[in-house]
C-alpha cells in the first residue's frame, strides 16, 4: 500500500480506501461487507468511509459490528461519518438534519453509537448548509475535536468559496478549521478537484478523499455493451443515477478507454482508478465494491499507476477531451 498525507496534516492515509455507500446495509449482505473490510485491511487500507445517511444508519451499524468482531487495534485504522442529511425519514423533524449545532452534535453521538467507537477519525459536513451561519458549524466542529469525539473535520461538495469562508472563521476565532474535502473525482468529473480547488491546496493545504472513481461503475466498462441488471444502476430508486450516468457520451468514452486498457494489459476499472491516483492533490481514492473480486481487482491500481506515462496520460486526455481550463482573462 502507498500512504499519503491527508493534506497538510501529518496523518498517513492509504492512497486507496473503502466506502460503504449503497453497499453496506443495503445492496450486499453483511458477510460480504465483512469480507470486503478484511480484504481492504489486509491490503493496507486504513480508512473506511461512512455517513449517517448511508442506508439510513444501517451502513454504520454493519460497519460497527464488523469492526467490533475484527478487534483490529483502534489506532491502526480510521473511520469516518458525515452529517447533514439526517435520516430523510418521512417523519423526520426539522431539527434532525443540517449543520446547526444541535444536529451536528446529535449526529456525531449517534454515529459513535452505531459504529461502536469512542471517536471518529474524520467527520465531514456532507453538504453546505446555507441556512446555518458558518460560525456555528465551525465552532461546533472545533468543540467536537476539543471533546475528543472527532479528530479531524472536513467538508463534502462545498464550493471553494465556502471552504475559504470556513477557514476565515477559524482564523478569526483561532479555531481548528477543515482539513479535507470529499469531492467527486473521476475521468468524467474533474472541474472541482483540478480547477476550482487549485488555490486551496496551496493556501490551506487542503486534503481530498475523493469519491466515485468509477462513476458508479460506468468507467469499469461493464455497460459498454448495454445495460446490465444486478448492478448498482439497476437498484430500485437509483433511476436518477442511471439516467445521468448512462448517457451515450459517457459510454463512447468508456469504450475508447476500454481499448486503451486492453493495450496496456490492464482492466478498464483499474485504469480509471490509477488515473485518479496520479493526481498528487488526491489524498485517498475511496473505492466502492459490491463483490470481493471487484475490490481485489481495483487494488491493482496502485501498481498500474506506473504504466501511466506522460504519453499515456496525453492519450487519455485525447479520449476524455474534458481537461478543465481556467476562464479566459477578463471572462465572467
Ligand atoms: P465507484 O464509482 O467506484 O462505484 C463503485 C461501484 O462500481 C461498486 O459498488 C460496483 O457496483 C461497481 N464496481 C466497482 N468495482 C468494479 C469492477 N472492478 N468492475 C465492475 N464494476 C465495479 O465508487 P462509489 O460511487 O461507490 O464511491 C466510493 C465511496 O465514496 C462510497 O462508498 C462512499 O463512501 C463515498 N461517496 C461519497 C459521496 C459524498 O457525497 N461524499 C457520494 C458518493 C460516494 P455494482 O457491482 O453494484 O455495479
Amino acid at each position: 500500500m502507498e500512504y499519503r498525507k491527508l493534506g497538510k496534516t501529518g496523518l498517513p492515509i492509504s492512497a486507496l480506501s473503502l466506502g460503504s455507500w449503497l453497499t453496506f446495509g443495503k445492496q450486499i449482505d453483511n458477510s460480504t461487507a465483512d469480507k470486503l473490510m478484511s480484504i481492504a485491511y489486509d491490503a493496507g487500507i486504513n480508512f473506511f468511509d461512512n455517513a449517517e445517511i448511508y442506508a439510513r444508519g444501517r451502513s454504520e451499524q454493519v460497519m460497527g459490528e464488523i469492526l467490533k468482531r475484527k478487534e483490529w487495534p483502534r489506532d491502526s485504522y480510521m473511520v469516518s461519518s458525515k452529517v447533514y442529511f439526517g435520516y430523510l425519514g418521512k417523519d423526520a423533524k426539522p431539527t434532525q438534519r443540517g449543520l446547526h449545532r444541535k444536529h451536528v452534535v446529535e449526529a456525531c453521538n449517534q454515529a459513535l453509537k452505531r459504529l461502536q467507537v469512542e471517536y471518529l477519525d474524520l467527520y465531514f459536513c456532507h453538504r453546505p448548509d446555507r441556512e446555518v451561519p458558518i460560525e456555528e458549524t465551525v465552532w461546533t466542529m472545533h468543540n467536537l475535536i476539543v471533546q475528543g469525539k472527532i479528530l479531524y473535520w472536513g467538508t463534502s461538495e462545498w464550493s471553494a468559496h465556502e471552504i475559504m469562508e470556513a477557514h476565515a472563521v477559524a482564523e478569526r476565532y483561532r479555531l481548528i478549521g477543515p482539513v479535507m474535502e470529499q469531492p467527486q473525482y473521476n475521468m468524467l468529473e474533474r472541474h472541482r478537484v483540478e480547477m476550482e480547488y487549485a488555490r486551496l491546496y496551496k493556501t490551506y493545504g487542503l486534503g481530498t478523499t475523493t469519491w466515485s472513481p468509477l462513476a458508479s461503475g460506468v468507467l469499469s466498462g461493464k455497460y459498454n455493451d448495454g445495460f446490465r441488471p444486478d448492478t448498482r444502476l439497476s437498484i430500485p430508486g437509483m433511476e436518477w443515477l442511471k439516467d445521468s450516468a448512462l448517457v451515450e457520451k459517457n459510454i463512447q468514452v468508456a469504450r475508447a478507454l476500454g481499448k486503451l486498457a486492453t493495450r496496456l494489459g490492464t482492466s478498464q476499472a483499474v485504469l480509471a482508478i490509477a488515473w485518479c491516483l496520479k493526481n498528487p492533490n488526491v489524498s485517498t481514492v475511496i473505492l466502492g465494491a459490491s463483490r470481493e473480486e471487484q475490490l481485489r481487482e481495483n487494488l491493482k491500481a496502485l501498481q498500474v499507476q506506473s504504466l501511466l506515462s506522460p504519453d499515456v496520460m496525453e492519450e487519455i486526455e485525447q479520449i476524455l477531451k474534458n481537461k478543465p481550463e481556467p476562464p479566459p482573462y477578463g471572462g465572467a
Side-chain angles (χ1 to χ4, degrees), residues 21 27 49 127 156 182 212 216 222 232 290 294 298:
W21 180 51
Q27 188 190 5
D49 186 57
R127 290 295 180 268
S156 180
Q182 189 167 127
S212 280
S216 279
K222 68 205 287 180
R232 170 179 295 184
S290 68
Q294 290 176 351
N298 297 350

Side-chain angles (χ1 to χ4, degrees), residues 65-180:
E65 284 300 320
I66 295 170
L67 288 172
K68 190 174 165 197
R69 258 197 317 277
K70 299 289 178 197
E71 293 185 345
W72 295 325
R74 181 64 184 93
D75 55 3
S76 68
Y77 67 85
M78 298 179 277
V79 65
S80 73
S81 184
K82 306 187 202 84
V83 54
Y84 172 74
F85 291 106
Y87 283 96
L88 289 184
K90 282 198 185 95
D91 54 349
K93 303 280 188 282
T95 50
Q96 292 178 313
R97 71 191 307 262
L99 296 182
H100 48 83
R101 181 171 296 123
K102 183 168 173 66
H103 184 62
V104 172
V105 169
E106 305 266 14
C108 180
N109 289 337
Q110 288 159 13
L112 292 174
K113 263 197 206 130
R114 288 190 292 259
L115 285 162
Q116 305 189 49
V117 290
E118 286 182 359
Y119 62 91
L120 300 171
D121 298 273
L122 310 185
Y123 196 34
F124 294 88
C125 297
H126 211 157
R127 290 295 180 268
D129 186 342
R130 287 159 194 141
E131 292 183 14
V132 171
I134 185 71
E135 284 85 353
E136 182 170 342
T137 305
V138 177
W139 268 108
T140 306
M141 287 297 191
H142 172 88
N143 285 337
L144 286 172
I145 291 179
V146 172
Q147 290 165 10
K149 291 187 175 182
I150 65 173
L151 300 187
Y152 300 89
W153 78 275
T155 57
S156 180
E157 296 295 344
W158 283 31
S159 68
H161 182 77
E162 287 159 337
I163 295 170
M164 286 194 285
E165 266 189 342
H167 277 282
V169 168
E171 277 164 23
R172 190 175 323 136
Y173 298 107
R174 295 181 172 268
L175 305 175
I176 301 171
V179 296
M180 71 281 175

Side-chain angles (χ1 to χ4, degrees), residues 18-21 23 27 49-50 54 82 126-127 156-157 182 210-217 220 222-223 230-233 235 269 286-291 293-295 297-298:
L18 181 66
S20 55
W21 180 51
T23 50
Q27 188 190 5
D49 186 57
N50 222 316
Y54 293 172
K82 306 187 202 84
H126 211 157
R127 290 295 180 268
S156 180
E157 296 295 344
Q182 189 167 127
T210 62
W211 58 269
S212 280
L214 297 179
S216 279
S220 72
K222 68 205 287 180
Y223 302 105
D230 76 356
T231 60
R232 170 179 295 184
L233 299 184
I235 300 175
I286 313 177
L287 302 174
S290 68
R291 296 158 207 260
E293 314 83 80
Q294 290 176 351
L295 182 55
E297 174 68 14
N298 297 350

